[in-house]
Each structure stands twice: as C-alpha cells, then as structure tokens.
C-alpha cells in the first residue's frame, strides 16, 4: 500500500541513503523545472543538497510503501513551501523514478490531495510545470498561469 509520509526524524537519513542507491529524475529543484533532466543516481553532495531542500520545505513528502514491504521509499518525493499565504503552496523539489511522466503527475496529485483534503488548510498549489495536458479532473481546476506554471485548486 502506498501512502505519503513526512520526511522527518530518522527518515531523513534513510531517504538520503535511498537517493544514493536508486536512480531518479530531479524534475524540480529549488522551484525551477528541468524538463530535460536525465535519470541518475545522486552523488553524496547532490543527495545532501536535496535533503537540505527537503528540510527547508514546509511539507517534505515521500511516497512510502506499507509496513509489510522492505522498500521504505518509492516512485516520487516532493517538497512544498508556503506561497503568498498559508493557503497556498508551491512545489520546491520533485524527484521521481521511472515512469517519469506518470510519476510526476502522481506525485503532484498525491501532494495536492493530501494538503487540500486535510487539516492543513491549503487551497492552491503552484507548480512550475505545464500540466494542461491533464485536461479536466473531476474535482480539481487545472489552470495554466504561464508557459511553465500551473495552478491547482479544488472545484467548489
């Protein structure tokens, strides 16, 4: 079973080790998108940079496998920071494994649902990535703000 967890405490070191062991695409780094990124295993310095970005974020999320699995992390990990107010977040970091496009969308939607349909009070998520190809989603408004900036909000 997959579920999001906050990367904190002892999970930070486990996440760092995971980044060194498995190849990832670093799609969004410090709020900037790299659409041409290639899949790679991170060096110690790169993994430390990612960990520091996750530590600085307000919502450092990992997709996590259930307790019966030996694999503690999985296909997408996302760090978000507050935007203009406490009702808005923006994607600060996003690392995904194969299948790149599928996991980008899954990671973004997982974070959006967790933060908007819960106690966190988030109403909007800014993504430095063009998601207009998603089209209409039942309960989510997908609005292109500019060429590579998408706004997600819940439909009312």
């Amino acid at each position: 079973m997959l579920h999001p967890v906050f990367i904190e405490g002892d999970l930070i070191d486990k996440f760092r080790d995971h980044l060194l062991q498995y190849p990832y695409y670093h799609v969004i780094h410090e709020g900037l998108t790299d659409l041409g990124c290639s899949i790679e295993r991170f060096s110690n310095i790169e993994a430390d940079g990612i960990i520091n970005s996750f530590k600085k974020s307000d919502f450092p999320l990992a997709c996590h496998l259930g307790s019966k699995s030996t694999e503690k992390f999985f296909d997408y990990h996302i760090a978000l920071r507050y935007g203009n107010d406490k009702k808005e977040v923006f994607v600060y970091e996003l690392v995904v494994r194969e299948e790149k496009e599928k996991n980008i969308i899954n990671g973004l939607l997982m974070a959006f649902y967790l933060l908007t349909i819960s106690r966190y009070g988030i109403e909007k998520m800014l993504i430095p990535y063009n998601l207009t190809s998603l089209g209409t989603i039942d309960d989510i408004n997908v609005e292109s703000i500019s060429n590579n900036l998408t706004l997600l909000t819940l439909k009312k």
Side-chain angles (χ1 to χ4, degrees):
M1 180 170 143
L2 298 173
H3 62 280
V5 295
F6 286 96
I7 302 173
E8 53 194 12
D10 65 339
L11 278 183
I12 293 171
D13 290 334
K14 290 177 184 176
F15 182 48
R16 184 187 181 282
D17 292 342
H18 187 80
L19 290 173
L20 294 170
Q21 186 176 2
Y22 297 96
Y24 277 91
Y25 293 97
H26 199 171
V27 179
I28 299 173
H29 177 57
E30 295 181 350
L32 301 174
T33 302
D34 181 3
L35 296 176
C37 63
S38 58
I39 194 163
E40 62 181 288
R41 281 192 180 95
F42 298 111
S43 69
N44 284 319
I45 292 171
E46 291 167 328
D48 287 341
I50 293 169
I51 293 301
N52 286 334
S53 288
F54 270 75
K55 285 180 180 179
K56 288 191 299 187
S57 72
D58 297 301
F59 300 101
L61 299 171
C63 180
H64 191 72
L65 285 173
S67 59
K68 293 182 181 179
S69 173
T70 58
E71 184 67 50
K72 295 298 178 195
F73 298 99
F74 207 56
D75 291 337
Y76 39 86
H77 311 293
I78 185 169
L80 301 106
R81 296 179 96 177
Y82 282 114
N84 294 327
D85 58 39
K86 297 288 186 180
K87 294 183 181 199
E88 176 184 279
V89 291
F90 68 92
V91 179
Y92 190 65
E93 295 286 334
L94 177 63
V95 293
V96 302
R97 294 190 46 156
E98 289 289 352
E99 304 166 41
K100 181 181 174 184
E101 295 302 318
K102 176 184 172 196
N103 285 323
I104 288 170
I105 292 168
N106 287 345
L108 293 170
L109 292 178
M110 178 268 310
F112 181 76
Y113 280 117
L114 174 71
L115 297 176
T116 57
I117 305 176
S118 65
R119 67 180 188 265
Y120 302 104
I122 303 300
E123 296 177 0
K124 314 182 250 191
M125 185 161 87
L126 286 166
I127 305 163
Y129 191 82
N130 186 339
L131 286 176
T132 54
S133 62
L134 282 179
T136 302
I137 300 176
D138 292 340
D139 54 349
I140 301 175
N141 292 314
V142 179
E143 181 183 346
S144 177
I145 302 298
S146 67
N147 192 28
N148 273 334
L149 186 61
T150 304
L151 176 66
L152 299 184
T153 56
L154 283 175
K155 288 183 180 175
K156 296 183 183 200

